[in-house]
Amino acid sequence: MLTPSLFYLANLLFCLAYMVRDMAWLRAITILAATSTLPYFYFQSAPLYSAIGWQTAFIIINAINLTILLLQRRPVKLDEQEQWLQSTTLRLLKPRKMLRLLRLAKTHEIPAGEPLIHQGQKLNALLLLLSGKLSVQVEGQPRATLKPGDFVGEMSFISGQLTSADVVADEPARYLEWPADALDRLYARDSEIKDALQGALGMDMASKLARQAT
Ligand SMILES: Nc1ncnc2c1ncn2[C@@H]1O[C@@H]2COP(=O)(O)O[C@H]2[C@H]1O
């Protein structure tokens, strides 16, 4: 009597699993449901080993995927600089995605007075200023000042054209540099990062326009 009831319960659990939208819950309930079928198959007049084998395979597959999902959902630890980026320029990216993006970047430092970008060059990179101050000049005329958290070289990165201005360090500066081809490869692999980074670039340009208007 107990085993048919367990089998009935297992099927109800399968129904519930197919109703939930969260993948971790779906897998957890499926494991429970599949486990509940095992006594029913075992305590038949002749144990149904083939059914037991298949249910065990489903349990193992779901358990492996559930473990991977839960590991991916662990909270991530961010250092001070990462926390700052997460609350400012890269806030559209989830922390784990942001770390994935940051792993592709190299950090550079330049002294005051040093040029970072020459007008008309093929930059093939996207930069993000971490500290210091940069001035943007066209034909020697000042156009804008860039502060920590601003992207640099984003115009040529987006358009694929040559750089639109000279960019010079007003004070010692530290910045991140992503090679454009590494970002292209990441874009192809992870559309969530692509959408979030494109959103961040849009917000960056909007804030530069707003600064220019004041
Ligand atoms: N008017 C502006 N305001 C702010 N930043 C600018 C301006 N013009 C150019 N830049 C920056 O200077 C960079 C020069 O290279 P890019 O054209 O790739 O990207 C440009 C921007 O990052």
Side-chain angles (χ1 to χ4, degrees):
M1 187 59 204
L2 181 65
T3 50
S5 309
L6 261 181
F7 191 63
Y8 186 71
L9 173 72
N11 284 310
L12 282 180
L13 285 172
F14 277 123
C15 290
L16 179 66
Y18 297 142
M19 273 191 279
V20 297
R21 285 169 178 266
D22 182 85
M23 191 53 86
W25 277 112
L26 190 155
R27 293 193 183 280
I29 299 171
T30 304
I31 291 169
L32 199 60
T35 309
S36 309
T37 63
L38 298 180
Y40 176 76
F41 292 131
Y42 184 74
F43 289 112
Q44 297 299 309
S45 45
L48 297 172
Y49 288 117
S50 147
I52 291 171
W54 281 113
Q55 292 299 329
T56 307
F58 300 152
I59 291 168
I60 291 170
I61 292 166
N62 277 301
I64 290 170
N65 280 306
L66 180 60
T67 308
I68 293 170
L69 264 178
L70 294 179
L71 284 175
Q72 283 171 347
R73 288 185 186 179
R74 273 177 318 167
V76 288
K77 281 212 179 85
L78 302 178
D79 65 24
E80 210 175 310
Q81 178 177 288
E82 290 159 352
Q83 282 176 28
W84 169 68
L85 286 169
Q86 174 73 136
S87 63
T88 55
T89 316
L90 301 180
R91 63 184 172 279
L92 294 180
L93 284 142
K94 291 184 189 136
R96 200 173 292 280
K97 298 278 179 182
M98 185 190 75
L99 289 182
R100 191 169 183 202
L101 178 69
L102 291 178
R103 272 202 298 272
L104 294 182
K106 280 211 174 83
T107 306
H108 300 277
E109 294 187 10
I110 47 163
E114 191 88 354
L116 186 64
I117 293 177
H118 294 287
Q119 186 178 359
Q121 84 177 88
K122 188 101 185 103
L123 190 60
N124 286 325
L126 175 67
L127 317 178
L128 197 165
L129 185 59
L130 294 173
S131 66
K133 205 169 78 173
L134 306 174
S135 74
V136 178
Q137 300 164 6
V138 176
E139 317 291 346
Q141 297 301 309
R143 279 291 163 89
T145 301
L146 301 179
K147 57 176 183 46
D150 283 340
F151 282 111
V152 191
E154 76 291 347
M155 290 165 66
S156 58
F157 171 72
I158 292 169
S159 68
Q161 307 280 311
L162 302 179
T163 52
S164 61
D166 293 315
V167 180
V168 183
D170 282 346
E171 14 180 279
R174 217 158 51 84
Y175 64 94
L176 293 174
E177 176 180 9
W178 287 273
D181 57 350
L183 283 181
D184 283 342
R185 284 196 297 275
L186 183 63
Y187 274 7
R189 284 199 306 271
D190 195 326
S191 62
E192 197 181 322
I193 293 186
K194 178 180 181 180
D195 292 346
L197 186 56
Q198 285 179 339
L201 287 166
M203 291 198 313
D204 172 88
M205 285 202 267
S207 91
K208 284 174 182 157
L209 275 176
R211 285 200 318 250
Q212 210 160 43
T214 55

